[in-house]
Amino acid sequence: MQIIDRIYIDGAFVTPHGNELFDHFNPATEQVIGRVRLADAEDARHAIAAAKRAFPAFSRTDKHERIDMLKRMHAAVVAKENALFEAIVEEYGAPVSRARWMAQHASNVLLEAAKVLEGYAFVREAGSAKVVMQPLGVAGLITPWNSNAGFICGKLAAALAAGCTAVIKPSEMSALQTRVVTEALHEAGLPAGVFNIVTGRGETVGAEISAHADVAKLSFTGSTIVGKTILRTAADTLKRVTLELGGKSPMIVLDDADFDQAVPLALDAGFMNSGQACIAGTRILVPHARLAEFERKIASAVAQVQAGDPRDPRTSIGPMVSRKQWERVQRYIRIGIDEGARLIAGGEGRPDEIGAGWFVRPTVFSDVTNDMTIAREEIFGPVLSIIAYRDTEDAIAIANDTPYGLQAYVASSDAARANAVASCIEAGRVLVNTLAHEPAAPFGGFKQSGIGREYGTFGIEAFLEPKALIGVRVNER
Ligand code: NAD
């Protein structure tokens, strides 16, 4: 049983003022594996005060000092990669190959930010004016459980690269990962107060950060519903807000696609991160004329997908993070059946021979129409919908007929056609015949998938405000 009863404020591990104890589960066994003492609003205020004190000196650091800090943070997180990997498998249930990627991603994002900073110009010219990109102030960073360590490091990297100080509110369901990351970042030896990490509930700690007048910037990743609450709360103090929210991403399989490539691509895009991915390609758009062929191939491919013990290297789908999430996914499978979609793989309940753990059967529906609940709402589990289309124009219309616009995928044998379709899609990222991540490219959503962008230059600029100086010579610093 692990007891996690420290938060990180002003460069030190301290006991929270909050005294609520939160049970921590292993989702693959449903066993309680730890207890977390949650911070409260008072802890959040202390953390914000520490970040505010640290801001004047930190915001004046030169970018080379910050590059050096980011590199130290990177090295410190690399040094804890195995501990982070263990925490991810234990508390989140990510299959081992995914967990390894996630543990490495957490350090990579720090190095990527250092690289972007190397080439970034904080001073520019606009006509006769000198334009200085100035850090916003204290940043509140709020993360979800589905990639907690990566989001902590990614948001912090961008905030610090810009010269902001930070208060991080990680998911309360990811306390093991948070502890490993916090210990690593502490080792990097940054000035006290530059970053503070306060694990607590969203309604208390998250709400305090969203409302506090001394927080200038919010960067939130999570559900669209909470994102809207945060945006409303932040309006009172006109905080700058970046929101990375939900998705219902289309995987558009064009009629010329080679199904031997398109089917595995669709399954990998749909089932990534055990289906608990905002970018999952959950609506698979297939031409009517080739529907039967696609259904046959995907049904036999799903039969090979192993959902179960995350420590078994053959597993590609681990458990849902919590009982609540498992019940949510089960409810959507039931809704799909009730609304007349046809199951071609999976269904309700746990996979065969699994008696415990929040496991879901890898599920694919066909005969889905884009107005069905399972095609409109984010399920956040391994449940995919095949939607048949008439022609390419119809496919584009269906792809864009969603409140979301985070990511889209196009599968085709013809690069020019695929690119033409990609240019018509309303989404922050469109991936053509690939699932590759490009860390230098902006990431974020159109429509209700969010506001603003993360990663690369766009990600750093989300923590900066341009200031025009007129009447000074441009080369005067
Ligand atoms: P969530 O919105 O419930 O919680 C996210 C974070 O917000 C948690 O730390 C939570 O404690 C906090 N929070 C909750 N209520 C709050 C409030 N009133 N004020 C401030 N903070 C509050 O989401 P989740 O269940 O942790 O994660 C799953 C969701 O995240 C999915 O909807 C998914 O699409 C989304 N997501 C989006 C991205 C992206 O980049 N677009 C990435 C991962 C997950």
Side-chain angles (χ1 to χ4, degrees):
M1 174 78 73
Q2 310 225 28
I3 304 296
I4 299 178
D5 58 358
R6 294 282 187 277
I7 52 176
Y8 188 76
I9 297 180
D10 213 10
F13 290 87
V14 296
T15 303
H17 172 267
N19 55 13
E20 179 187 350
L21 293 179
F22 180 79
D23 277 343
H24 207 53
F25 291 89
N26 177 331
T29 62
E30 302 180 40
Q31 300 299 310
V32 174
I33 52 167
R35 211 142 273 153
V36 187
R37 179 164 169 171
L38 296 179
D40 64 9
E42 185 158 334
D43 295 308
R45 288 191 286 275
H46 284 148
I48 294 165
K52 186 182 178 186
R53 283 193 300 276
F55 179 70
F58 187 71
S59 62
R60 285 194 295 270
T61 51
D62 152 272
K63 82 169 184 177
H64 299 287
E65 291 172 67
R66 301 205 294 279
I67 289 168
D68 186 51
M69 289 181 205
L70 287 165
K71 288 184 175 168
R72 291 196 326 257
M73 292 161 78
H74 168 256
V77 178
V78 167
K80 297 249 189 226
E81 183 187 311
N82 283 338
L84 187 53
F85 164 84
E86 283 300 325
I88 292 169
V89 177
E90 181 85 355
E91 77 181 357
Y92 178 59
V96 286
S97 59
R98 175 78 192 180
R100 183 58 66 187
W101 182 88
M102 290 167 114
Q104 291 169 349
H105 178 69
S107 57
N108 286 342
V109 286
L110 291 155
L111 199 57
E112 290 297 337
K115 274 192 220 156
V116 176
L117 195 51
E118 268 162 21
Y120 189 75
F122 282 84
V123 181
R124 306 163 195 186
E125 291 173 34
S128 65
K130 171 173 151 180
V131 177
V132 180
M133 298 301 286
Q134 195 159 309
L136 283 164
V138 175
L141 313 176
I142 303 177
T143 72
W145 43 258
N146 69 335
S147 186
N148 180 63
F151 286 124
I152 290 177
C153 292
K155 288 182 188 296
L156 186 59
L160 299 192
C164 289
T165 57
V167 176
I168 304 165
K169 206 299 280 176
S171 169
E172 53 276 42
M173 284 191 280
S174 312
L176 293 185
Q177 289 171 64
T178 297
R179 177 163 71 184
V180 176
V181 169
T182 311
E183 286 171 359
L185 296 177
H186 176 71
E187 298 278 305
L190 269 57
V194 165
F195 70 91
N196 306 272
I197 303 186
V198 188
T199 298
R201 289 193 184 274
E203 312 85 84
T204 52
V205 174
E208 182 66 27
I209 293 171
S210 314
H212 202 291
D214 290 338
V215 174
K217 164 80 193 179
L218 288 174
S219 178
F220 167 81
T221 297
S223 59
T224 296
I225 187 156
V226 172
K228 289 178 184 177
T229 304
I230 286 177
L231 191 58
R232 281 188 212 103
T233 308
D236 273 345
T237 45
L238 277 183
K239 295 185 202 323
R240 278 54 183 154
V241 179
T242 298
L243 300 175
E244 300 291 358
L245 309 176
K248 197 74 200 174
S249 300
M251 157 65 73
I252 306 164
V253 180
L254 292 184
D255 56 9
D256 60 36
D258 174 354
F259 286 180
D260 289 338
Q261 287 167 19
V263 165
L265 191 74
L267 284 185
D268 288 347
F271 290 159
M272 74 168 78
N273 204 4
S274 306
Q276 299 176 127
C278 49
I279 54 174
T282 48
R283 291 184 300 142
I284 307 174
L285 277 43
V286 178
H288 263 299
R290 298 186 66 193
L291 182 62
E293 180 192 354
F294 192 87
E295 284 181 356
R296 260 196 322 277
K297 290 216 170 193
I298 201 165
S300 77
V302 176
Q304 306 304 312
V305 172
Q306 181 164 312
D309 179 7
R311 292 195 185 270
D312 182 338
R314 290 165 304 178
T315 294
S316 57
I317 300 184
M320 302 297 93
V321 72
S322 62
R323 176 180 300 282
K324 186 173 157 212
Q325 190 65 19
W326 186 83
E327 285 168 354
R328 171 192 166 99
V329 176
Q330 296 299 322
R331 183 168 59 80
Y332 276 111
I333 296 174
R334 172 53 32 203
I335 290 173
I337 295 167
D338 290 346
E339 289 188 350
R342 177 167 51 91
L343 274 174
I344 60 168
E348 292 173 283
R350 291 195 182 86
D352 293 344
E353 291 162 25
I354 295 186
W358 295 311
F359 294 98
V360 171
R361 299 170 70 193
T363 295
V364 181
F365 282 105
S366 193
D367 293 348
V368 178
T369 54
N370 203 42
D371 58 354
M372 287 184 186
T373 308
I374 54 170
R376 303 215 71 78
E377 297 183 10
E378 187 178 51
I379 298 174
F380 229 54
V383 181
L384 309 182
S385 295
I386 298 176
I387 303 172
Y389 67 82
R390 283 188 312 276
D391 52 25
T392 307
E393 243 174 66
D394 191 32
I396 293 167
I398 295 170
N400 288 335
D401 176 16
T402 167
Y404 295 111
L406 188 57
Q407 187 142 301
Y409 306 83
V410 183
S412 170
S413 304
D414 180 335
R417 272 190 82 205
N419 288 340
V421 170
S423 70
C424 300
I425 301 301
E426 296 158 358
R429 273 192 180 190
V430 186
L431 276 60
V432 177
N433 292 328
T434 184
L435 297 187
H437 172 57
E438 173 47 72
F443 175 75
F446 281 37
K447 301 191 275 186
Q448 294 191 34
S449 284
I451 296 177
R453 294 292 180 270
E454 297 196 288
Y455 290 122
T457 308
F458 292 89
I460 291 182
E461 292 202 329
F463 292 89
L464 293 166
E465 189 102 82
K467 179 163 85 183
L469 296 165
I470 300 166
V472 296
R473 280 198 298 275
V474 167
N475 58 3
E476 260 173 17
R477 291 192 59 99

